[in-house]
Amino acid sequence: MAGHKHDEHCGHGHHDHGHDHGEHEHGLVEVTIELEDEHIPALDEVAAELTKELKQNWDRGAVVRLALSEFFSRRGKIT
């Protein structure tokens, strides 16, 4: 599948890649995923909305984790 590779890190507002990769907060594991091109602006838009609504910084990785949590919860895979 052709597409952009986006390397999202821990999702706690780090937009540079200089943070320590040796420490993963909250059991997070760094992965690289391929997403549809149209998902990227939607992720950015939701991240901005959540940042404004919740008064804390959200990035693409955090939005992806939220979406996956909701998906797996609906399927009964997590509680």
Side-chain angles (χ1 to χ4, degrees), residues 3-9 29-35 64:
H4 299 289
K5 287 188 178 182
H6 294 277
D7 189 8
E8 289 300 317
H9 296 286
V29 176
E30 185 175 312
V31 298
T32 300
I33 60 173
E34 292 185 4
L35 300 173
V64 168

Side-chain angles (χ1 to χ4, degrees), residues 5-74:
K5 287 188 178 182
H6 294 277
D7 189 8
E8 289 300 317
H9 296 286
C10 65
H12 291 285
H14 299 291
H15 294 285
D16 65 328
H17 298 303
H19 64 282
D20 184 4
H21 294 283
E23 292 183 27
H24 294 285
E25 297 178 43
H26 310 292
L28 298 179
V29 176
E30 185 175 312
V31 298
T32 300
I33 60 173
E34 292 185 4
L35 300 173
E36 300 293 331
D37 288 346
E38 64 194 25
H39 292 166
I40 304 307
L43 285 170
D44 290 341
E45 185 177 319
V46 171
E49 290 170 1
L50 289 170
T51 295
K52 185 176 180 181
E53 290 170 18
L54 301 176
K55 308 282 192 275
Q56 68 180 48
N57 200 17
W58 282 68
D59 65 5
R60 291 176 185 163
V63 175
V64 168
R65 285 192 305 280
L66 177 63
L68 286 172
S69 292
E70 291 181 8
F71 173 79
F72 288 131
S73 180
R74 282 195 311 268

